[in-house]
Structures are given as C-alpha cells and as structure tokens.
Amino acid sequence: GVVMAATEQCSLCGSYPLKEGETLKLLTLCFPTRSGANGIEALLGLKKRGFGVGWWNGFGGKVDPGETIDQGMVRELQEECGLVAQEYKRRGVLVFKFKGNQQLYAVHVYEVTRWTGEAQETEEMEPRWWPSDKFPFEHMWPDDELWCPLLFQTRCEFFTGFAAFPPYEPGTRVVLGHRFAEAEGLDANGFEWPDFKTFD
C-alpha cells in the first residue's frame, strides 16, 4: 500500500503555506482521562529527560514514517507509560514555533478514555493522576494553561491554535504570541495561519 505523507493525513496541516526553508513536523500529545471524586482527572507525566525535561505534560512524540497520526499516539502512550489506548478522540491541532528555528511543530491533541494496562514509570516519564482543574501549570509548558481549559473545562469538542516561543531552553516559560480557540472541526476551514516570520 501507498503510505500517505503525514501532512496529507490532516487537511489543517496540509493547508499550511510553508515558507522557503520551513518544514512542518507532526507530533502527538494525549491525555488519558477518568472521572474522579471532584470531576475529570487526567494522567500527566513528569518528563525525566530530553525536550521539556522537568515539566509535567501529556504523553506523546513524533509520528514515525509509515504511521498514521492515531498509530503514533497509541505507540507513544504505550512507550512512555505502559497504557494501551482502546478508545480515544483527536480533540485539537496546535502549531508551535521556536524563534529562529525553521522547523514548525503540528501537535495533534488526543483524549484517551479507555485503555488496558496500568500506568508505570519509564525511563522517560513519571506518571501521576491530577484533577484537571488543579494542573501544575507553573511546572508545565507555558502555553498549556492557555489551551488546557478548552479541553478540560469548556469541554469544547475541537480546538485549534498556535504559540510562538523563544529559542528552546529547559525551564524557560515565555510565550511570544499565541491564539487558541474552539473550532468547528480539525480541518483548514476557518483556521487562519499566523505569519510565524513575525516572531523571528
């Protein structure tokens, strides 16, 4: 069978007008959720090494060649904390830019509502359940508190958005510009791409 290019799997990603030298990299980010005593709880992982070290986050990573975005999400969740996703839904697409870097990141955000296995610590992540209204935002990526409410409090079906950051340095929590909003769906209709060059 023919393997679809990653951007062909997502019309929103495919609609991005790449400037000369720019590339768009597909990533996944997923949040297992369950009902707790005081509302929705989500499983976060404390990143123990690499990109985003020292911060709590959902589980995810890059989509490998030949994988669908869904398959990439399922694989990364299992690799990072041992859960095997059974029921899930893609809820958002977010695009991130680091100042001075020609690589843009299109992050596909999932909610996982059923899985098999038990969450376990791995070399990469230390998992822990958090009430969704008490996330440790001061120890998370600085954009998370701007869009997580769309997923966990507003509970809108879909959302899209972007954020631009300074060059990546561990522990630096600065957002240069952003826009996150509820969306009709996860396609290119109604989504206005920013000119990321304005952040360079």
Side-chain angles (χ1 to χ4, degrees):
V2 178
V3 176
M4 276 203 305
T7 50
E8 288 174 17
Q9 296 184 41
C10 170
S11 68
L12 193 143
C13 298
S15 73
Y16 179 69
L18 285 171
K19 314 272 194 313
E20 189 177 348
E22 282 183 337
T23 53
L24 189 67
K25 184 175 184 175
L26 282 190
L27 301 167
T28 63
L29 180 65
C30 81
F31 297 90
T33 61
R34 68 184 187 187
S35 294
N38 298 302
I40 298 165
E41 297 179 346
L43 190 69
L44 303 180
L46 181 64
K47 194 82 190 296
K48 293 162 63 176
R49 64 183 187 191
F51 203 48
V53 64
W55 284 342
W56 293 91
N57 202 354
F59 301 88
K62 65 180 183 296
V63 178
D64 285 340
E67 278 186 325
T68 65
I69 301 170
D70 285 4
Q71 288 168 340
M73 180 277 293
V74 171
R75 176 184 53 76
E76 287 281 356
L77 178 65
Q78 186 170 10
E79 287 176 0
E80 290 189 341
C81 75
L83 299 184
V84 180
Q86 302 287 320
E87 289 180 13
Y88 50 84
K89 184 177 182 185
R90 188 162 53 130
R91 299 284 302 281
V93 179
L94 307 175
V95 180
F96 298 114
K97 153 96 178 171
F98 291 88
K99 185 178 170 76
N101 189 341
Q102 296 283 72
Q103 175 109 68
L104 300 170
Y105 301 90
V107 179
H108 295 254
V109 182
Y110 288 79
E111 181 176 11
V112 178
T113 51
R114 208 164 65 81
W115 56 85
T116 56
E118 292 289 323
Q120 56 202 13
E121 186 169 350
T122 60
E123 289 183 3
E124 189 149 359
M125 298 285 253
E126 177 191 324
R128 179 177 153 191
W129 288 98
W130 293 82
S132 62
D133 61 348
K134 291 186 170 63
F135 277 6
F137 284 126
E138 67 278 12
H139 301 293
M140 296 176 72
W141 282 91
D143 60 291
D144 287 355
E145 59 192 309
L146 304 172
W147 62 262
C148 277
L150 292 171
L151 177 58
F152 294 109
Q153 275 76 51
T154 312
R155 295 301 277 168
C156 56
E157 189 173 12
F158 302 111
F159 56 93
T160 56
F162 74 88
F165 303 103
Y168 172 71
E169 284 183 33
T172 300
R173 298 187 71 260
V174 177
V175 179
L176 301 177
H178 68 87
R179 184 177 73 239
F180 300 105
E182 187 169 355
E184 294 290 311
L186 298 181
D187 54 34
N189 294 335
F191 184 77
E192 286 183 42
W193 288 100
D195 181 0
F196 282 112
K197 291 290 185 208
T198 60
F199 299 108
D200 273 339

